[in-house]
Amino acid sequence: LSFSGKTSTFGNILNWITVDEKNVKGFYIERSTDGSEFENIGFIPSNSTGIVENYTFTDVGTVSVYYYRLRIMDHDGQQTYSN
C-alpha cells in the first residue's frame, strides 16, 4: 500500500503498510548507495493477518544518503520488489 522513510537521530526509519497479505513469508529490507546495487540489511516476518498491517525498520548508524527497497518473499519462493 505504501513505503516511506525519514531520517532521525537514531538512523533512517522505514515504514510500510500492507493490506490483504496472502502467502507472504516476510520482507527483506535492501539498501543501496547508487540505486542499482542493493544489499540485504534486514528481514521482518509477515504478520499475515489479511488486514491492514504497519511495519517499521530502523537502519541505525547511517552516515550517507541511501536508497531503500523491499523484497517481498512468499512462502512458495516467489518474490517481488517495492517501487
Side-chain angles (χ1 to χ4, degrees):
L1 193 60
S2 69
F3 180 48
S4 62
K6 65 180 179 179
T7 300
S8 78
T9 56
F10 304 107
N12 293 330
I13 301 171
L14 308 176
N15 297 290
W16 63 99
I17 300 171
T18 65
V19 64
D20 198 25
E21 290 179 27
K22 294 180 182 170
N23 191 38
V24 176
K25 180 179 181 180
F27 307 89
Y28 287 94
I29 299 93
E30 298 184 348
R31 176 178 69 191
S32 172
T33 57
D34 63 7
S36 58
E37 295 292 324
F38 285 84
E39 65 176 331
N40 179 39
I41 59 168
F43 179 80
I44 302 288
S46 169
N47 291 331
S48 294
T49 62
I51 57 173
V52 176
E53 293 289 345
N54 293 288
Y55 296 91
T56 300
F57 179 87
T58 302
D59 185 9
V60 296
T62 58
V63 294
S64 182
V65 174
Y66 291 112
Y67 299 88
Y68 294 95
R69 72 182 181 187
L70 297 173
R71 182 166 41 105
I72 302 123
M73 180 64 69
D74 290 344
H75 287 286
D76 62 6
Q78 297 292 317
Q79 60 186 10
T80 56
Y81 290 92
S82 63
N83 293 333

